[in-house]
Amino acid sequence: MNEYQDQAAKFDLFRATGNYDTVAFVEKVLGLVGEAGETADKVKKILRDKEGRISEEDKLEIVKELGDVLWYVANVARYLDTPLEKVARLNLEKLEDRYQRNLIHGEGDNR
Ligand SMILES: [Mg+2]
């Protein structure tokens, strides 16, 4: 994951600035939300126009959007000086803790 993050940095047009208090960082956060929206839009159109039937082409287009989401996640983390591996590990640890305490369902970031 960290190797992906390093390679993804190459395509950050603002990478020279690379700091969390810059417009470049905000651009990455906005990009992340935008790509998540593009993913949702692809699924919405499948529901609306194709009666929910997903073709192999549809899957590929959704997977490409997930790649865009991943790119922004990797770069947001980079601006926070955080290896992508750590993002993944902390997430799994959080979910495992909730699972062990039977709190997978419910609300709240820190339950
Ligand atoms: Mg996209």
Side-chain angles (χ1 to χ4, degrees), residues 6-111:
D6 289 342
Q7 291 184 25
K10 174 182 176 182
F11 307 107
D12 176 6
L13 300 178
F14 296 96
R15 71 179 179 278
T17 55
N19 203 330
Y20 68 87
D21 62 350
T22 61
V23 170
F25 174 68
V26 176
E27 186 263 344
K28 297 300 168 300
V29 174
L30 294 174
L32 173 59
V33 175
E35 295 298 342
E38 288 182 25
T39 305
D41 194 55
K42 292 265 189 300
V43 174
K44 178 204 76 179
K45 287 177 179 171
I46 292 166
L47 293 172
R48 184 191 65 191
D49 302 335
K50 300 179 176 182
E51 299 175 346
R53 285 191 284 273
I54 298 179
S55 68
E56 290 304 313
E57 278 181 85
D58 294 331
K59 287 180 187 177
L60 181 58
E61 292 306 310
I62 293 168
V63 166
K64 287 178 182 177
E65 295 301 345
L66 292 176
D68 293 342
V69 169
L70 179 62
W71 188 89
Y72 277 106
V73 169
N75 278 286
V76 169
R78 182 172 58 84
Y79 277 68
L80 298 172
D81 299 318
T82 303
L84 188 56
E85 174 71 28
K86 183 176 181 180
V87 174
R89 180 173 41 80
L90 288 175
N91 179 255
L92 284 178
E93 288 173 4
K94 177 183 76 175
L95 293 172
E96 181 65 26
D97 179 63
R98 287 179 184 171
Y99 180 80
Q100 293 299 327
R101 293 182 296 119
N102 201 23
L103 289 174
I104 286 288
H105 298 287
E107 295 179 30
D109 288 339
N110 293 307
R111 63 182 184 271

